[in-house]
Amino acid sequence: MIKFIACDMDGTLVDDKKEIDKSVFSTIEYLNEKNVLFCAASGRQYNSLKTIFGEYGKNMVFISENGSYVVYDNKQIYASFMDKELWQYIVLKCTEHGGMGIILCCKDYIYTTDPETVDMLSNPKFGYNVRLVDSLIDIDDDILKVSILDDNPYSGRVKKFLETNFKDKTDIAVSGFNCIDIMKKGVSKGKAVREILENMGIAKDEAAVFGDNFNDLEMFDEVYYSFAMKNAVDEIKERANFVTSHTNNECGVVKEIEKFIEKGVI
């Protein structure tokens, strides 16, 4: 029987218009009735996830900031902060290199020096708490991750620079919003899923995950029912045990959960 379902957001549960179909919320209600724990696993800020799910989120697990901040039942169960010297070094090196939008992500806020980024992420579709600052290097807050905005994160140009300079001390993952996220070494959505399953005594074959991007790959390794979205690139599909029959624009996740229900495993 399926006891746990973790789902990526952008490109997976969220369609290309950055909207979530109403069927998702009715599905979450059904899963709650069946004591199946539903988890939103995303590179997004916790406040963004909490805003999106509203009242439906009260029984959910939220894996936010690519696994660096985890909340369940409105309580923090895990947070992994970067050393100040490390994130300041990353900010300085990226600033010197130029051509990159830099964002600092914390539990309650994200910080940027770019007004356009504030306008974009403050949009109700995203629901971020954003603060515009004059300088990132002087931020007095606990940093979960550094995000680099890149118009084409798959081209490898910026990612190669980041890996060359920071890979030995951090984990780097392509995420949503054309972002490349830099976290403390060992942090990922997959690690968060693994710890949740271990703490709750849920076996790999009692859990399912859905994802479409490279920051979802570690989650695939932690469960048997690993689903790549139909709209994912081939490299992602090759790493999953299953591929959804429908895309994120066709409620692909909901349709696979409905198949679980029809088979009697939920």
Side-chain angles (χ1 to χ4, degrees):
M1 298 293 286
I2 302 296
K3 299 179 180 179
F4 175 86
I5 297 175
C7 191
D8 171 56
M9 293 294 290
D10 298 283
T12 301
L13 203 63
V14 178
D15 66 23
D16 292 346
K17 295 180 181 179
K18 300 302 179 185
E19 297 175 350
I20 295 182
D21 190 83
K22 292 180 180 179
S23 63
V24 170
F25 301 110
S26 58
T27 299
I28 292 173
E29 283 189 311
Y30 181 85
L31 294 175
N32 284 337
E33 293 173 2
K34 296 297 182 179
N35 294 317
V36 177
L37 187 60
F38 188 77
C39 169
S42 176
R44 290 191 183 214
Q45 183 186 59
Y46 168 59
N47 186 72
S48 173
L49 299 176
K50 184 174 64 173
T51 300
I52 288 170
F53 289 97
E55 63 180 284
Y56 299 97
K58 61 183 179 180
N59 295 316
M60 287 176 53
V61 176
F62 293 104
I63 298 175
S64 63
E65 305 291 8
N66 261 329
S68 57
Y69 187 49
V70 182
V71 174
Y72 176 47
D73 195 23
N74 292 317
K75 298 176 183 176
Q76 173 184 312
I77 61 174
Y78 178 79
S80 180
F81 300 108
M82 302 180 75
D83 293 336
K84 186 173 183 178
E85 294 79 8
L86 177 58
W87 69 255
Q88 286 184 327
Y89 172 71
I90 293 170
V91 169
L92 287 172
K93 289 288 288 186
C94 290
T95 302
E96 290 173 1
H97 183 273
M100 303 181 198
I102 307 170
I103 297 173
L104 294 181
C105 304
C106 309
K107 289 197 302 183
D108 298 317
Y109 301 99
I110 65 170
Y111 298 91
T112 177
T113 58
D114 179 32
E116 291 185 4
T117 300
V118 174
D119 292 340
M120 177 183 71
L121 295 180
S122 297
N123 186 304
K125 288 186 178 182
F126 301 123
Y128 278 73
N129 285 332
V130 190
R131 286 190 169 180
L132 182 66
V133 296
D134 294 326
S135 171
L136 293 176
I137 207 70
D138 299 321
I139 295 299
D140 183 20
D141 206 338
D142 294 319
I143 306 301
L144 293 164
K145 70 176 186 182
V146 181
S147 289
I148 305 299
L149 298 179
D150 182 11
D151 289 337
N152 189 8
Y154 299 101
S155 69
R157 181 184 62 84
V158 173
K159 190 168 185 284
K160 183 177 180 180
F161 167 80
L162 299 177
E163 290 178 340
T164 299
N165 287 276
F166 313 126
K167 190 174 182 179
D168 59 330
K169 296 181 179 179
T170 66
D171 276 339
I172 300 170
V174 175
S175 187
F177 302 138
N178 291 335
C179 278
I180 302 176
D181 288 342
I182 309 171
M183 291 83 64
K184 185 177 179 179
K185 196 73 174 176
V187 171
S188 70
K189 291 196 283 188
K191 179 184 178 182
V193 166
R194 180 171 68 250
E195 293 193 0
I196 291 167
L197 296 182
E198 289 176 353
N199 290 337
M200 296 188 172
I202 299 174
K204 283 191 172 186
D205 61 359
E206 296 175 322
V209 301
F210 294 84
D212 76 303
N213 213 332
F214 290 93
N215 63 332
D216 299 316
L217 292 178
E218 289 87 352
M219 291 201 299
F220 290 175
D221 297 333
E222 301 302 327
V223 305
Y224 172 69
Y225 293 103
S226 57
F227 284 86
M229 298 302 293
K230 183 179 180 180
N231 49 283
V233 297
D234 288 342
E235 187 174 348
I236 306 300
K237 294 176 181 177
E238 290 168 1
R239 288 280 299 273
N241 289 335
F242 305 93
V243 177
T244 63
S245 57
H246 295 76
T247 70
N248 64 313
N249 292 322
E250 302 166 321
C251 300
V253 172
V254 170
K255 287 181 169 59
E256 296 301 329
I257 293 175
E258 288 173 347
K259 292 178 185 178
F260 281 141
I261 296 170
E262 291 171 2
K263 293 177 181 177
V265 295
I266 289 181

